Amino acid sequence: MRKKKKYLRNLFIGMILLCTVSDVKAVTNPYSQTGPYGTNCTWYAWNMAYQKAGVVLPGWGNAKDWYYDAMNAGYSVGTTPKANSIVVWGGWTSYGHVGYVESVGDNTLYVWDSTGPCIDETDPSYQECMANSWCEDTDRVCKENAKKGACAYTLSPDQYGITGYIYLDTAPTSPPVSTKESTYTKPVTPNVTEEVVVKSNNTNLSSITLSSGTISFQSDILEYEIKVKNEVEAITIAATLEDEKATVEGTGEYKLKVGVNEIKLVVTAEDGTTKEYQLHITREKKEIIKKEEVKETTNSNQIIYLILGISGAIFVLILGIIFFIRKRKKKLNQNVVKSKSEKQIDRS
């Protein structure tokens, strides 16, 4: 009887917890997981900030813009390295690079980012495995099974151009949250019964289409180089949104000048967050044939026509000579035959 009561009690508690958890809203990583260079650092850093610090970051632009976007969004930023922060490298690539700073050592940052994770070489199991390894194959097995950790980056000299740090310890208490479906669920206490209505911060476009030229669109790439022929005097730009509650400005028809034309598409999310896509459309120059080239071509043609004319005249002259010689020879032969016939008649 006691076992039955205990079973029913556990079942009842489990049902309460199930109902509570099923009502939790998921949050969405606003960045694409993969890009042209593999795992996107923006996706990875956003994910680590959420998993390790419990902070839901907004959807900002390219990695190099995070520092100033965070500053404008009310986040605490600075150039002093601290644990539990986001490091922003403005000079890593043309798009920048970001990572989650787990700890700071003597002239060293220990960072979780998309280029890692790295091997925790201080782990005793890894050290023992490497000590007992006898070839490259066994070394590889040790590394594959090793405990993973943050990667070490030297602060000085600064190889990648650190812009600064976004401090997550003092992050805003109610950051914008996207309500799209996601695998990330932030835990809440069962006592929370009040439903919080949040607005979407999704500023992504799902596509950009052009009436001329080609574009390889990805939602997390914000700048594009496009070339069109000189004959294209105008171009029509259309765009579709990932979130129907967002708006986009900058679509429509544009007249193109020769050279580079800068066109911006600005997406505004439901919560007011903005993102800017830039199109650099280059209209090619018109090919102009110089007068000297035309004159030279005309002279060349005249020489060719003169040579052809002379060659034709010589050919006709040769044919005339051959015809005359043949006719003359034929006449001589006729005279010879006639003379022989006459001689034979006289003898008779």
Side-chain angles (χ1 to χ4, degrees):
M1 185 67 179
R2 290 181 180 177
K3 291 183 178 181
K4 185 175 182 180
K5 286 183 178 180
K6 186 177 181 180
Y7 169 77
L8 292 174
R9 183 182 62 185
N10 292 338
L11 178 62
F12 179 70
I13 293 174
M15 292 177 66
I16 293 176
L17 291 175
L18 179 62
C19 292
T20 303
V21 173
S22 64
D23 209 20
V24 175
K25 288 193 173 183
V27 295
T28 297
N29 189 328
Y31 299 96
S32 299
Q33 182 173 357
T34 57
Y37 306 106
T39 301
N40 282 328
C41 65
T42 49
W43 178 90
Y44 192 92
W46 189 100
N47 187 21
M48 296 306 293
Y50 182 74
Q51 287 186 350
K52 290 186 174 291
V55 175
V56 180
L57 295 174
W60 293 316
N62 290 326
K64 65 180 180 181
D65 302 321
W66 273 35
Y67 183 84
Y68 300 102
D69 288 342
M71 182 188 301
N72 294 332
Y75 284 73
S76 177
V77 300
T79 56
T80 302
K82 293 182 181 180
N84 195 33
S85 66
I86 298 293
V87 57
V88 180
W89 284 285
W92 190 298
T93 67
S94 59
Y95 299 106
H97 193 71
V98 287
Y100 173 81
V101 180
E102 183 175 64
S103 60
V104 180
D106 184 18
N107 196 38
T108 305
L109 286 179
Y110 294 94
V111 181
W112 291 85
D113 71 335
S114 58
T115 62
C118 296
I119 294 173
D120 182 3
E121 297 183 357
T122 64
D123 180 43
S125 299
Y126 172 73
Q127 292 177 349
E128 181 181 0
C129 182
M130 290 298 290
N132 296 323
S133 176
W134 61 85
C135 67
E136 292 183 359
D137 290 337
T138 53
D139 285 352
R140 185 168 57 253
V141 172
C142 291
K143 292 177 181 179
E144 289 176 353
N145 296 324
K147 181 181 177 182
K148 301 301 186 290
C151 299
Y153 291 97
T154 302
L155 284 170
S156 180
D158 180 6
Q159 297 181 355
Y160 304 108
I162 295 176
T163 303
Y165 303 86
I166 304 168
Y167 304 126
L168 301 180
D169 288 336
T170 56
T173 55
S174 300
V177 178
S178 173
T179 56
K180 288 175 63 180
E181 184 179 357
S182 174
T183 57
Y184 304 107
T185 304
K186 189 174 182 179
V188 298
T189 59
N191 294 331
V192 177
T193 57
E194 182 180 358
E195 184 178 359
V196 179
V197 178
V198 293
K199 294 183 179 181
S200 171
N201 66 348
N202 189 344
T203 55
N204 288 337
L205 292 176
S206 60
S207 67
I208 296 176
T209 56
L210 309 173
S211 59
S212 300
T214 58
I215 181 171
S216 299
F217 177 77
Q218 294 186 29
S219 61
D220 57 338
I221 297 179
L222 304 183
E223 293 188 29
Y224 297 89
E225 301 289 339
I226 301 157
K227 291 185 179 181
V228 298
K229 295 182 178 180
N230 177 263
E231 292 78 8
V232 180
E233 298 180 350
I235 190 169
T236 302
I237 302 173
T240 55
L241 295 156
E242 284 190 2
D243 187 350
E244 61 181 9
K245 295 180 181 178
T247 58
V248 57
E249 298 178 359
T251 58
E253 185 179 24
Y254 291 85
K255 291 188 178 299
L256 300 179
K257 64 181 181 180
V258 175
V260 180
N261 299 262
E262 303 285 348
I263 298 174
K264 298 179 180 180
L265 303 180
V266 180
V267 182
T268 303
E270 184 186 15
D271 69 348
T273 305
T274 61
K275 179 186 288 186
E276 183 178 277
Y277 292 88
Q278 298 182 11
L279 308 181
H280 309 290
I281 303 176
T282 302
R283 180 184 173 192
E284 295 178 349
K285 295 181 180 180
K286 186 176 182 180
E287 293 185 3
I288 301 176
I289 301 175
K290 297 181 180 180
K291 292 182 178 180
E292 292 79 4
E293 295 177 353
V294 174
K295 185 176 181 180
E296 183 179 349
T297 302
T298 303
N299 292 337
S300 299
N301 291 338
Q302 290 176 349
I303 292 172
I304 292 172
Y305 295 148
L306 179 61
I307 293 173
L308 290 176
I310 294 173
S311 300
I314 293 172
F315 179 74
V316 171
L317 179 61
I318 292 172
L319 287 179
I321 292 172
I322 294 172
F323 178 77
F324 175 77
I325 291 173
R326 293 183 63 181
K327 187 175 182 182
R328 181 69 177 170
K329 186 176 181 181
K330 184 177 180 181
K331 188 173 182 180
L332 290 173
N333 291 337
Q334 289 177 350
N335 291 336
V336 170
V337 171
K338 183 177 180 181
S339 175
K340 288 181 178 181
S341 300
E342 291 175 353
K343 287 181 180 180
Q344 289 177 355
I345 294 171
D346 292 341
R347 289 177 182 176
S348 301

